[in-house]
């Protein structure tokens, strides 16, 4: 049994992950701006505050905190919030862990497949590929650099570059379930995805099997916006129309943020599979049927 702190523990992934870890008899502590339950402790990035009681005797930190990439238009101020919520929060944890001399067994951080940039190519991106030169690439690079500083204290660091997380309650899938299912833009962009339970299982594997390094947390089956939309329409018995939502319309509505809807490449899952992870939901059909 390990003591595990989760930041972003009240979010989509954090809630499910917390439950699964508790079911496995781990001691889970949530850092929250507004603690409500007995296992939740206050932290406040703006005032550089963490309740030190939460940190004592901690074995692992799972860092999921971060403002939603697709929640609001990317104004200059919003971009700062997106970066700071990931980077400053990791820096705060690093400072407190150093100050209290806590010997962590591991620091496990979320990241995104946006690391490779919002681009559509036939290339299959692997963990050794360079970061993209756009906003998302910059966000993920800074996010990961903040995590890597823990290795200067000889703390093993694990980073999971995550695709679209599919869940039966909230998240991207809910927004896709429109009365008529259509692709976006050209429909040729790829949508790297993963079932919530597979993602949580990879986090648990990182803790219980000392998985260290950078891994793409995506399912092995590749889908474009077109093939994803067709599979979704079939699974929820909704009509599918192959005429995509026009790119110009999405750019008008979302501004620069439309990039994440209109661009996307294939991401390799081979490294995590070679490290012994076997996907429960390796195909989109299986994932959607489950959800």
């Amino acid at each position: 049994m390990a003591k595990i702190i989760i930041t972003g523990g009240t979010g989509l992934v954090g809630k499910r992950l917390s439950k699964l870890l508790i079911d496995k008899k781990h001691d889970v502590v949530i850092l929250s701006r507004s603690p409500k339950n007995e296992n939740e402790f206050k932290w406040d990035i703006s005032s550089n505050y963490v309740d030190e009681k939460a940190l004592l005797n901690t074995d692992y930190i799972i860092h999921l905190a971060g403002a939603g990439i697709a929640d609001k238009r990317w104004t200059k101020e919003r971009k700062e919030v997106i970066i700071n919520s990931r980077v400053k929060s990791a820096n705060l944890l690093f400072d407190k862990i150093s100050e209290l001399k806590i010997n962590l067994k591991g620091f496990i951080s979320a990241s995104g497949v946006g690391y490779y940039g919002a681009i559509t190519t036939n290339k299959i991106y692997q963990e050794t590929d360079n970061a993209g030169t756009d906003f998302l690439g910059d966000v993920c690079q800074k996010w990961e650099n903040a995590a890597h500083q823990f290795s200067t204290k000889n703390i093993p660091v694990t980073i999971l570059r995550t695709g679209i997380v599919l869940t039966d309650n909230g998240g991207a899938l809910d927004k896709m379930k429109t009365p008529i299912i259509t692709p976006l833009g050209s429909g040729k962009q790829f949508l790297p995805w993963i079932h919530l339970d597979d993602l949580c299982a990879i986090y648990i594997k990182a803790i219980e099997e000392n998985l260290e390094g950078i891994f793409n947390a995506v399912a092995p089956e590749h889908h474009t916006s077109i093939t994803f939309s067709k599979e979704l329409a079939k699974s929820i018995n909704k009509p599918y129309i192959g005429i995509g939502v026009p790119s110009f319309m999405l750019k008008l509505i979302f501004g620069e943020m439309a990039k994440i809807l209109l661009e996307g490449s294939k991401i390799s899952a081979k490294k995590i599979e070679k490290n012994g992870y076997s996907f429960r939901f390796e195909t989109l059909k299986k994932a959607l049927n489950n959800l």
Side-chain angles (χ1 to χ4, degrees):
M1 188 182 93
K3 180 182 174 183
I4 301 158
I5 285 178
I6 301 180
T7 73
T10 56
L12 196 72
V13 177
K15 276 183 188 170
R16 180 69 175 149
L17 181 55
S18 298
K19 184 188 181 304
L20 294 171
L21 286 167
I22 290 166
D23 287 348
K24 291 171 82 62
K25 309 301 179 194
H26 293 293
D27 179 16
V28 175
V29 166
I30 307 291
L31 292 183
S32 170
R33 283 172 296 180
S34 309
K36 293 184 182 112
N37 301 311
E38 59 179 24
N39 74 325
E40 294 180 4
F41 290 81
K42 186 169 179 62
W43 78 328
D44 185 341
I45 300 156
S46 60
S47 61
N48 241 28
Y49 173 79
V50 181
D51 187 336
E52 292 184 359
K53 292 195 294 292
L55 299 175
L56 298 177
N57 304 312
T58 297
D59 295 305
Y60 296 91
I61 293 176
I62 297 177
H63 184 40
L64 304 176
I69 293 283
D71 288 358
K72 296 178 183 176
R73 282 175 76 102
W74 290 350
T75 61
K76 188 184 172 192
E77 292 73 22
R78 183 61 185 172
K79 284 182 173 181
E80 280 182 24
V81 168
I82 287 170
I83 292 172
N84 291 342
S85 61
R86 289 159 171 76
V87 174
K88 285 192 173 179
S89 52
N91 291 344
L92 173 58
L93 291 169
F94 179 74
D95 291 344
K96 292 296 177 184
I97 289 297
S98 305
E99 186 186 311
L100 297 171
K101 296 183 170 57
I102 292 168
N103 296 314
L104 284 182
K105 292 177 182 172
F107 184 83
I108 302 146
S109 179
S111 181
V113 294
Y115 177 89
Y116 306 107
I119 185 169
T120 303
T121 67
N122 282 319
K123 176 180 170 67
I124 302 176
Y125 284 90
Q126 298 180 33
E127 290 82 351
T128 49
D129 283 308
N130 294 331
T133 56
D134 57 8
F135 173 62
L136 278 188
D138 185 47
V139 170
C140 293
Q141 201 167 20
K142 286 174 177 170
W143 196 359
E144 294 186 15
N145 288 344
H148 283 307
Q149 66 188 320
F150 284 82
S151 62
T152 65
K153 299 280 180 189
N154 294 317
I155 295 166
V157 172
T158 310
I159 290 170
L160 301 183
R161 292 178 184 157
T162 309
I164 296 166
V165 181
L166 303 185
T167 169
D168 59 356
N169 184 21
L173 196 56
D174 261 6
K175 291 171 185 169
M176 294 176 188
K177 292 178 185 173
T178 49
I180 296 170
I181 309 296
T182 65
L184 300 177
S186 70
K188 293 175 183 176
Q189 71 276 29
F190 288 90
L191 272 68
W193 62 274
I194 187 168
H195 188 295
L196 176 63
D197 283 353
D198 273 321
L199 178 59
C200 290
I202 294 171
Y203 275 104
I204 292 167
K205 181 181 174 71
I207 284 171
E208 296 186 341
E209 298 180 29
N210 300 313
L211 196 64
E212 186 179 352
I214 298 171
F215 298 89
N216 292 327
V218 293
E221 187 181 69
H222 305 300
H223 276 276
T224 63
S225 181
I226 290 171
T227 62
F228 192 108
S229 299
K230 283 180 179 175
E231 198 65 66
L232 177 60
K234 209 185 298 177
S235 78
I236 59 174
N237 295 314
K238 291 278 173 75
Y240 167 81
I241 293 179
I243 303 163
V245 179
S247 300
F248 78 86
M249 196 181 289
L250 291 168
K251 286 173 184 172
L252 271 176
I253 297 166
F254 298 111
E256 187 187 349
M257 195 180 81
K259 261 189 164 186
I260 63 174
L261 304 173
L262 296 169
E263 305 290 348
S265 289
K266 298 176 190 173
I267 309 294
S268 171
K270 284 184 178 169
K271 185 178 176 185
I272 191 69
E273 289 183 307
K274 281 179 185 168
N275 276 265
Y277 185 71
S278 183
F279 283 86
R280 274 182 64 198
F281 304 99
E282 71 281 7
T283 67
L284 183 59
K285 183 178 180 179
K286 200 185 275 191
L288 292 175
N289 285 346
N290 172 261
L291 296 168

